[in-house]
Amino acid sequence: MPDLPPDLPRLRTLETFLALLLDEVRRAIAAAETREAERQTGIERRPAPPDWLIELGLNRDSPAVQVHVGDCWNAGKRTRGIRRDEALRALADGVKACGACRPDSELGFLEG
């Protein structure tokens, strides 16, 4: 036990200080719990990744660069989700298949 002051006024002052500090800690805990609950809700409500991605060129007039499987680690930042038929059409039109995720194999696409 820490050394406490022997007189009542200082003990009451210490009690008041500790009560205020405990209230502050409890408010901080409640705020942290709220943030964690909001983060968890965001994770649960996050939409599922698309099945297929197309990586776009540097500007809007550039042709597509690559086709990726939806969760490919190698997909660039300029991607958008596409449907299966769009992925097959892009591959047929000559858009390169990602070498990491191999969407052509996943789609059963055979060249030529």
Side-chain angles (χ1 to χ4, degrees):
M1 193 63 139
D3 291 329
L4 297 175
D7 59 304
L8 188 58
R10 287 192 293 174
L11 286 170
R12 291 285 184 206
T13 301
L14 187 57
E15 178 186 36
T16 301
F17 170 75
L18 291 174
L20 292 172
L21 185 60
L22 182 58
D23 287 343
E24 193 173 324
V25 168
R26 286 181 174 154
R27 281 192 301 274
I29 288 171
E33 288 173 340
T34 300
R35 284 191 307 273
E36 180 60 25
E38 289 170 354
R39 188 185 73 77
Q40 207 50 39
T41 300
I43 289 171
E44 292 167 4
R45 291 185 180 173
R46 183 176 297 148
D51 291 333
W52 311 102
L53 297 171
I54 191 151
E55 187 172 342
L56 306 172
L58 290 175
N59 61 46
R60 65 178 162 216
D61 298 327
S62 297
V65 178
Q66 285 185 323
V67 176
H68 298 273
V69 174
D71 60 353
C72 178
W73 63 269
N74 196 33
K77 293 184 186 266
R78 297 176 316 275
T79 59
R80 67 175 175 85
I82 58 174
R83 297 184 316 268
R84 177 183 174 83
D85 62 319
E86 292 173 304
L88 283 167
R89 190 174 329 114
L91 291 171
D93 290 343
V95 177
K96 183 178 154 190
C98 173
C101 64
R102 302 300 309 197
D104 49 350
S105 297
E106 291 282 327
L107 288 163
F109 179 78
L110 301 173
E111 291 185 44

